mmCIF file of all heavy atoms in Angstrom:
data_model
loop_
_atom_site.group_PDB
_atom_site.id
_atom_site.type_symbol
_atom_site.label_atom_id
_atom_site.label_comp_id
_atom_site.label_asym_id
_atom_site.label_seq_id
_atom_site.Cartn_x
_atom_site.Cartn_y
_atom_site.Cartn_z
ATOM 1 N N LYS A 47 -5.141 2.222 -10.125
ATOM 2 C CA LYS A 47 -4.817 3.592 -10.684
ATOM 3 C C LYS A 47 -4.726 4.596 -9.602
ATOM 4 O O LYS A 47 -3.838 5.448 -9.664
ATOM 5 C CB LYS A 47 -5.883 3.950 -11.723
ATOM 6 C CG LYS A 47 -5.839 3.237 -13.049
ATOM 7 C CD LYS A 47 -6.963 3.569 -14.002
ATOM 8 C CE LYS A 47 -6.901 2.682 -15.220
ATOM 9 N NZ LYS A 47 -8.082 2.866 -16.038
ATOM 10 N N ALA A 48 -5.646 4.594 -8.631
ATOM 11 C CA ALA A 48 -5.642 5.560 -7.566
ATOM 12 C C ALA A 48 -4.390 5.373 -6.661
ATOM 13 O O ALA A 48 -3.797 6.413 -6.319
ATOM 14 C CB ALA A 48 -6.935 5.410 -6.744
ATOM 15 N N LEU A 49 -4.058 4.129 -6.426
ATOM 16 C CA LEU A 49 -2.808 3.915 -5.570
ATOM 17 C C LEU A 49 -1.612 4.364 -6.221
ATOM 18 O O LEU A 49 -0.709 5.038 -5.630
ATOM 19 C CB LEU A 49 -2.742 2.404 -5.293
ATOM 20 C CG LEU A 49 -3.738 1.795 -4.349
ATOM 21 C CD1 LEU A 49 -3.700 0.251 -4.403
ATOM 22 C CD2 LEU A 49 -3.586 2.259 -2.915
ATOM 23 N N LYS A 50 -1.467 4.135 -7.554
ATOM 24 C CA LYS A 50 -0.318 4.634 -8.281
ATOM 25 C C LYS A 50 -0.319 6.067 -8.431
ATOM 26 O O LYS A 50 0.747 6.780 -8.260
ATOM 27 C CB LYS A 50 -0.244 3.856 -9.572
ATOM 28 C CG LYS A 50 0.119 2.416 -9.431
ATOM 29 C CD LYS A 50 0.164 1.624 -10.764
ATOM 30 C CE LYS A 50 0.475 0.133 -10.466
ATOM 31 N NZ LYS A 50 0.530 -0.625 -11.676
ATOM 32 N N ALA A 51 -1.401 6.692 -8.851
ATOM 33 C CA ALA A 51 -1.468 8.151 -9.017
ATOM 34 C C ALA A 51 -1.077 8.922 -7.770
ATOM 35 O O ALA A 51 -0.580 9.971 -7.812
ATOM 36 C CB ALA A 51 -2.901 8.467 -9.601
ATOM 37 N N ASN A 52 -1.579 8.391 -6.684
ATOM 38 C CA ASN A 52 -1.401 9.059 -5.358
ATOM 39 C C ASN A 52 -0.138 8.681 -4.664
ATOM 40 O O ASN A 52 0.124 9.072 -3.587
ATOM 41 C CB ASN A 52 -2.629 8.907 -4.461
ATOM 42 C CG ASN A 52 -3.808 9.624 -4.981
ATOM 43 O OD1 ASN A 52 -3.765 10.877 -5.164
ATOM 44 N ND2 ASN A 52 -4.874 8.878 -5.328
ATOM 45 N N LYS A 53 0.633 7.775 -5.306
ATOM 46 C CA LYS A 53 1.944 7.204 -4.696
ATOM 47 C C LYS A 53 1.694 6.700 -3.315
ATOM 48 O O LYS A 53 2.443 7.057 -2.398
ATOM 49 C CB LYS A 53 2.949 8.319 -4.823
ATOM 50 C CG LYS A 53 3.259 8.719 -6.180
ATOM 51 C CD LYS A 53 4.304 9.782 -6.337
ATOM 52 C CE LYS A 53 4.491 10.074 -7.798
ATOM 53 N NZ LYS A 53 5.415 11.167 -8.071
ATOM 54 N N VAL A 54 0.682 5.848 -3.146
ATOM 55 C CA VAL A 54 0.346 5.382 -1.845
ATOM 56 C C VAL A 54 1.359 4.222 -1.479
ATOM 57 O O VAL A 54 1.649 3.391 -2.239
ATOM 58 C CB VAL A 54 -1.048 4.782 -1.830
ATOM 59 C CG1 VAL A 54 -1.298 4.076 -0.500
ATOM 60 C CG2 VAL A 54 -2.065 5.856 -2.049
ATOM 61 N N THR A 55 1.851 4.336 -0.181
ATOM 62 C CA THR A 55 2.651 3.306 0.378
ATOM 63 C C THR A 55 1.975 2.982 1.703
ATOM 64 O O THR A 55 1.799 3.901 2.593
ATOM 65 C CB THR A 55 4.137 3.693 0.589
ATOM 66 O OG1 THR A 55 4.674 4.050 -0.692
ATOM 67 C CG2 THR A 55 4.877 2.570 1.185
ATOM 68 N N ALA A 56 1.657 1.675 1.964
ATOM 69 C CA ALA A 56 0.996 1.363 3.161
ATOM 70 C C ALA A 56 1.714 0.146 3.842
ATOM 71 O O ALA A 56 2.190 -0.709 3.130
ATOM 72 C CB ALA A 56 -0.455 0.976 2.909
ATOM 73 N N THR A 57 1.699 0.138 5.104
ATOM 74 C CA THR A 57 2.212 -0.959 5.914
ATOM 75 C C THR A 57 1.182 -1.310 6.939
ATOM 76 O O THR A 57 0.384 -0.460 7.300
ATOM 77 C CB THR A 57 3.548 -0.630 6.559
ATOM 78 O OG1 THR A 57 3.351 0.371 7.519
ATOM 79 C CG2 THR A 57 4.635 -0.223 5.556
ATOM 80 N N GLY A 58 1.252 -2.474 7.500
ATOM 81 C CA GLY A 58 0.345 -2.795 8.572
ATOM 82 C C GLY A 58 0.584 -4.185 9.143
ATOM 83 O O GLY A 58 1.227 -5.003 8.587
ATOM 84 N N ASP A 59 0.062 -4.349 10.345
ATOM 85 C CA ASP A 59 0.123 -5.553 11.067
ATOM 86 C C ASP A 59 -1.138 -5.871 11.740
ATOM 87 O O ASP A 59 -1.768 -4.996 12.363
ATOM 88 C CB ASP A 59 1.262 -5.502 12.159
ATOM 89 C CG ASP A 59 2.597 -5.369 11.591
ATOM 90 O OD1 ASP A 59 3.031 -6.267 10.745
ATOM 91 O OD2 ASP A 59 3.334 -4.356 11.873
ATOM 92 N N VAL A 60 -1.552 -7.138 11.766
ATOM 93 C CA VAL A 60 -2.659 -7.553 12.553
ATOM 94 C C VAL A 60 -2.263 -7.651 13.970
ATOM 95 O O VAL A 60 -1.202 -8.319 14.231
ATOM 96 C CB VAL A 60 -3.273 -8.954 12.026
ATOM 97 C CG1 VAL A 60 -4.240 -9.464 12.974
ATOM 98 C CG2 VAL A 60 -3.819 -8.668 10.637
ATOM 99 N N VAL A 61 -2.932 -7.036 14.901
ATOM 100 C CA VAL A 61 -2.608 -7.095 16.324
ATOM 101 C C VAL A 61 -3.465 -8.043 17.067
ATOM 102 O O VAL A 61 -2.972 -8.578 18.149
ATOM 103 C CB VAL A 61 -2.698 -5.634 16.950
ATOM 104 C CG1 VAL A 61 -1.561 -4.849 16.352
ATOM 105 C CG2 VAL A 61 -3.938 -4.996 16.824
ATOM 106 N N SER A 62 -4.692 -8.327 16.642
ATOM 107 C CA SER A 62 -5.527 -9.408 17.224
ATOM 108 C C SER A 62 -6.575 -9.766 16.338
ATOM 109 O O SER A 62 -6.961 -9.073 15.414
ATOM 110 C CB SER A 62 -6.085 -8.914 18.558
ATOM 111 O OG SER A 62 -6.982 -7.806 18.352
ATOM 112 N N ALA A 63 -7.050 -11.037 16.553
ATOM 113 C CA ALA A 63 -8.136 -11.572 15.715
ATOM 114 C C ALA A 63 -8.921 -12.568 16.586
ATOM 115 O O ALA A 63 -8.282 -13.264 17.453
ATOM 116 C CB ALA A 63 -7.661 -12.148 14.458
ATOM 117 N N GLY A 64 -10.190 -12.662 16.382
ATOM 118 C CA GLY A 64 -10.998 -13.637 17.105
ATOM 119 C C GLY A 64 -12.180 -14.081 16.286
ATOM 120 O O GLY A 64 -12.803 -13.317 15.586
#
Side-chain angles (χ1 to χ4, degrees):
K47 288 176 186 173
L49 290 167
K50 289 178 182 180
N52 291 300
K53 299 181 179 173
V54 173
T55 302
T57 63
D59 294 302
V60 169
V61 294
S62 66

